[in-house]
């Protein structure tokens, strides 16, 4: 095994499963050989072409060394969309879909909402909201021009023309046409000292999307500081954060003047998102 000798689909899979996750092995084999998951089950004894076997071996080795599956196959699913991803963007995570759910809850009664997604990366959140709210308008902001190219490609693939891109750090140098119904963000929140940054998959992702190179809270400070001036009365600020950051993010939200500040848990029960609302009524 591991040479250019002929392999069946089944034997190739068996080889890969010794070192990488079963599902990853199957997805890489589908990608390298162009066959469907059904074909892998019904015709396991079909021979791989030499080029397919060589490409599969190289992909398995890259996965073994920690490259995320999404980078190897160039795409990932998020909220029902198939997104192109490259090493210029964070791989969208399933738990971020819960943040989109929360956003759609707060926007339920809102016609033609005006939204800003700060640190859009691949455009995952912005495009999901734009798809669910076709009459809305989403400003997708990122400081990385390379990330915005990936996001723009995704917008084109998904035909979501109600997303506009702005290359900027948080709120710097841009102004929305009016006040916003929602500001949403999955910013870099991993503290620079966290060993998770060297973990499987993560060490291949853009550091800019993962850490502020400080205590993991810099983005929340910046996002909170500009929120009230940009939100409509009653508008929401919703963010994802680390499992141990809910309390401190909630405190930042309260200090920034937001009300109804609450956190929500991910599927494993950890508080992973915090939201708050600009007070609805001023003096009449
Ligand atoms: N959830 C990601 C991780 O833990 C981090 C994403 C982020 O920093 N926004 O790998």
């Amino acid at each position: 095994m591991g040479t250019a000798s002929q392999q069946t689909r089944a034997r190739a899979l068996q080889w890969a499963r010794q070192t990488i996750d079963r599902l990853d092995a199957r997805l890489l084999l589908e990608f390298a050989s162009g066959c469907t998951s059904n074909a892998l089950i019904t015709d396991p004894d079909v021979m791989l072409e030499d080029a397919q076997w060589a490409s599969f071996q190289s992909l398995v080795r890259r996965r073994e060394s920690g490259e995320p599956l999404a980078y190897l196959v160039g795409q990932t699913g998020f909220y029902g969309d198939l997104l192109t991803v490259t090493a210029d963007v964070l791989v969208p995570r399933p738990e971020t879909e819960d943040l989109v759910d929360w956003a759609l809850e707060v926007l339920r009664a809102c016609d033609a909402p005006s939204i800003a997604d700060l640190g859009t990366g691949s455009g995952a959140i912005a495009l999901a909201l734009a798809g669910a709210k076709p009459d809305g308008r989403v400003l997708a902001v990122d400081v990385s021009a390379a990330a915005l190219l990936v996001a723009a490609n995704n917008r084109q693939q998904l035909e979501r023309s109600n997303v506009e891109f702005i290359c900027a750090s948080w709120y710097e140098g841009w102004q929305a046409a009016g006040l916003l119904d929602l500001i949403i963000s999955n910013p870099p929140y991993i503290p620079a000292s966290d060993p998770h940054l060297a973990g499987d998959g993560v060490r291949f992702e853009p550091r800019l999307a993962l850490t502020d190179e400080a205590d993991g809270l810099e983005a929340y400070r910046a996002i909170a500081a500009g929120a009230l001036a940009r939100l409509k009365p009653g508008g929401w600020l919703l963010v994802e954060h680390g499992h141990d950051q809910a309390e401190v993010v909630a405190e930042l939200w309260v200090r920034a003047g937001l009300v109804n500040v609450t956190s929500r848990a991910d599927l494993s029960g950890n508080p992973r998102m915090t939201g708050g609302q600009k007070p609805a009524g001023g003096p009449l």
Side-chain angles (χ1 to χ4, degrees), residues 90 93 95 186-190 196 202 205 209-210 240 272:
L90 187 86
R93 313 280 204 265
E95 52 277 29
N186 174 20
Y189 55 71
I190 304 177
H196 179 67
V202 180
E205 294 183 289
L210 292 164
E240 178 177 319
R272 289 293 308 286

Side-chain angles (χ1 to χ4, degrees), residues 42-280:
T42 56
D43 299 309
D45 297 326
V46 169
M47 288 287 175
L48 296 181
E49 291 165 18
D50 285 350
Q52 293 175 341
W53 171 231
S55 130
F56 181 60
Q57 284 175 286
S58 134
L59 290 164
V60 168
R61 296 215 169 93
R62 287 168 64 190
R63 182 68 199 93
E64 233 177 274
S65 75
E67 268 189 75
L69 181 88
Y71 291 168
L72 297 177
V73 301
Q75 59 187 32
T76 198
F78 183 82
Y79 218 80
D81 293 329
L82 193 58
L83 298 174
T84 293
V85 291
T86 72
D88 286 321
V89 298
L90 187 86
V91 177
R93 313 280 204 265
E95 52 277 29
T96 308
E97 295 178 329
D98 295 344
L99 188 68
V100 174
D101 278 336
W102 193 0
L104 291 175
E105 270 177 58
V106 307
L107 293 175
R108 199 167 28 216
C110 195
D111 289 330
S114 183
I115 300 165
D117 172 23
L118 305 182
T120 198
S122 63
I125 295 173
L127 290 162
L129 293 175
K133 289 280 182 186
D135 60 350
R137 186 164 156 270
V138 187
L139 302 172
V141 180
D142 207 291
V143 73
S144 160
L148 288 180
L149 281 177
V150 176
N153 180 43
N154 284 323
R155 174 181 64 178
Q156 196 183 359
Q157 291 297 319
L158 296 167
E159 298 180 12
R160 307 260 159 89
S161 53
N162 52 336
V163 175
E164 272 171 58
F165 297 110
I166 299 171
C167 194
S169 173
W170 311 126
Y171 306 107
E172 271 173 44
W174 62 274
Q175 202 65 55
L179 293 175
L180 300 162
D181 295 284
L182 169 70
I183 297 170
I184 190 165
S185 182
N186 174 20
Y189 55 71
I190 304 177
S193 58
D194 192 326
H196 179 67
L197 287 169
D200 182 45
V202 180
R203 66 177 177 276
F204 285 85
E205 294 183 289
R207 265 188 87 91
L208 191 65
L210 292 164
T211 179
D212 55 4
E213 305 295 350
D215 63 353
L217 299 169
E218 287 293 329
Y220 302 118
R221 294 184 184 104
I223 290 170
L228 240 56
R230 286 169 175 85
L231 285 172
K232 286 182 192 166
W236 282 86
L237 172 60
L238 300 181
V239 295
E240 178 177 319
H241 49 66
H243 64 93
D244 55 358
Q245 293 171 323
E247 241 173 82
V248 54
V249 171
E251 201 182 303
L252 285 170
W253 271 209
V254 169
R255 270 200 255 144
L258 294 156
V259 295
N260 298 326
V261 175
T262 44
S263 297
R264 286 194 179 184
D266 63 13
L267 284 176
S268 358
N270 296 310
R272 289 293 308 286
M273 311 168 252
T274 292
Q277 217 174 358
K278 177 166 166 173

